Amino acid sequence: MSEEVNNTLIIIAAVEFSVGILGNAFIGLVNCMDWMKNRKIASVDLILTSLAISRIFLLCLIMYDSVLLMLYPGVFISSQEFRIFDFFWTLTNHVSVWFATCLSIFYFLKIANFFHPLFLWMKWRIDKMIPRILLVCLVLSVVISLPITEDRNDDFRLCFRAKGKTNLTLRCRVDKAQYVSIKVCLNLLTLFPFSVSLISFLLLILSLWRHTRQMQLSATGFRDASIEAHLGAMKAVISFLLLFLVYYLSFIVATSTELIIESDLAVMVCEFIALIYPSSHSLILILGNIKLRQAFLRVLYKVTYILKRRNV
């Protein structure tokens, strides 16, 4: 890989990483400061804070792997280090998806208008259940991630990081295929919470359609607060669905590339595409939340004011 391409990739990765870290850290900081001030935290703020923390760890892990590929492509990582990295990457990947799904379900229960007894029971109980639901999601993610820590041949690990120094034997290829299949199968489980978020989005559309129809029958010709709430929640959920889909496809391509093409450049490009998901979705959540948006505008105003004072 040429030095120009390498430098360009480093700049792109640094920008994506910085945006993601700043955005998610801002969400966590604003909610934690509000928590300390009021001595309590709203359910949606708890979900957003948990989601932001999980994505900070996910961003750090993706960036760590990208830096190794860009700056130290021939460095051999021990089997133990590889297992630790894989475990935490799988864990943060599952946790962030489950927490985003909790946010989708919360929006659905709080905003949608249905009169089914089960829906009403969940709507009344959701605020008290959120801490326990988040804890269950964390424990479930840990359990799902444990199989990736299974000990494997160091020669197989060497095949990933020292391609130019190692003869790729048939045994090596078989071990790599087994590793990739396990990794892909474990992360296929994220499609379940993804499906739950998709169902929540579709039910929000149904709720909005029913509410809009009722307004038309009552000859109301303007948007009310319920429609605005529906649209805001739908934007947050659909952005998560689309960005996660791009992220997941890039993960599939990256892991397949490691096995078939064995191109570090292709893997890095896929990882940079994957960085878009945890980075940009945090900005969408900030702009879609009134408290976070107002805090962001205050910070932006202060930064602009300080810069103008310096230029005077």
Side-chain angles (χ1 to χ4, degrees):
M1 189 179 353
S2 65
E3 185 176 352
E4 292 79 7
V5 174
N6 196 49
N7 292 336
T8 302
L9 293 175
I10 291 175
I11 294 173
I12 294 174
V15 171
E16 290 184 317
F17 178 75
S18 300
V19 170
I21 291 295
L22 290 174
N24 287 290
F26 178 80
I27 293 174
L29 183 62
V30 170
N31 287 329
C32 287
M33 290 176 63
D34 189 62
W35 188 359
M36 294 175 63
K37 179 180 178 180
N38 299 321
R39 301 295 178 88
K40 62 180 181 179
I41 185 169
S43 298
V44 65
D45 293 339
L46 179 60
I47 300 173
L48 288 170
T49 303
S50 303
L51 179 60
I53 293 172
S54 67
R55 284 179 172 170
I56 288 173
F57 282 105
L58 181 62
L59 282 164
C60 291
L61 290 170
I62 296 176
M63 192 63 184
Y64 171 76
D65 193 55
S66 300
V67 168
L68 286 181
L69 284 173
M70 286 187 294
L71 303 180
Y72 311 102
V75 173
F76 169 65
I77 296 181
S78 69
S79 178
Q80 182 179 2
E81 290 172 338
F82 214 120
R83 290 199 305 273
I84 293 173
F85 173 83
D86 281 348
F87 170 77
F88 282 106
W89 185 89
T90 306
L91 174 62
T92 54
N93 185 41
H94 277 273
V95 168
S96 64
V97 176
W98 277 106
F99 286 173
T101 301
C102 289
L103 184 63
S104 301
I105 295 173
F106 182 84
Y107 283 150
F108 163 66
L109 292 175
K110 285 295 185 179
I111 295 172
N113 296 314
F114 294 102
F115 299 99
H116 191 279
L118 178 60
F119 174 82
L120 294 175
W121 180 83
M122 294 178 64
K123 189 182 186 73
W124 294 330
R125 298 272 299 176
I126 186 63
D127 286 309
K128 295 180 180 180
M129 294 171 60
I130 283 298
R132 283 175 284 181
I133 291 174
L134 294 176
L135 181 60
V136 169
C137 290
L138 178 60
V139 173
L140 182 62
S141 299
V142 172
V143 173
I144 292 173
S145 306
L146 287 176
I148 205 71
T149 61
E150 181 184 350
D151 194 11
R152 290 182 179 84
N153 196 321
D154 278 348
D155 293 338
F156 148 71
R157 303 292 176 179
L158 188 63
C159 294
F160 275 98
R161 294 299 185 190
K163 300 180 182 70
K165 302 176 183 180
T166 307
N167 293 324
L168 295 179
T169 62
L170 178 61
R171 172 59 184 277
C172 181
R173 289 187 178 276
V174 170
D175 287 343
K176 286 178 66 176
Q178 292 176 349
Y179 163 76
V180 169
S181 62
I182 292 173
K183 194 171 182 180
V184 170
C185 288
L186 287 177
N187 285 280
L188 276 173
L189 296 176
T190 56
L191 293 180
F192 175 73
F194 176 84
S195 301
V196 174
S197 294
L198 180 59
I199 293 172
S200 299
F201 174 72
L202 296 176
L203 290 174
L204 276 172
I205 294 178
L206 176 61
S207 176
L208 177 61
W209 176 78
R210 293 176 58 182
H211 182 73
T212 305
R213 189 177 179 184
Q214 289 175 0
M215 289 183 62
Q216 290 174 346
L217 293 175
S218 61
T220 304
F222 57 89
R223 287 185 178 182
D224 63 358
S226 180
I227 290 182
E228 296 295 338
H230 274 83
L231 293 176
M234 287 168 60
K235 289 177 183 177
V237 178
I238 192 62
S239 62
F240 160 67
L241 294 173
L242 294 176
L243 289 171
F244 178 76
L245 190 60
V246 173
Y247 167 80
Y248 193 81
L249 291 176
S250 64
F251 159 74
I252 294 294
V253 173
T255 51
S256 301
T257 300
E258 281 186 320
L259 177 64
I260 301 172
I261 305 176
E262 296 169 2
S263 169
D264 285 342
L265 178 59
V267 174
M268 281 186 286
V269 171
C270 291
E271 290 190 347
F272 295 157
I273 295 174
L275 279 170
I276 297 174
Y277 156 64
S279 299
S280 58
H281 193 239
S282 61
L283 300 180
I284 295 172
L285 293 176
I286 290 173
L287 297 177
N289 184 281
I290 296 177
K291 181 179 71 175
L292 294 175
R293 183 170 66 247
Q294 291 176 346
F296 176 75
L297 292 176
R298 287 196 299 269
V299 171
L300 188 62
Y301 173 79
K302 290 180 180 179
V303 171
T304 305
Y305 177 76
I306 292 173
L307 292 177
K308 287 183 178 179
R309 287 289 300 272
R310 288 185 175 181
N311 292 331
V312 172

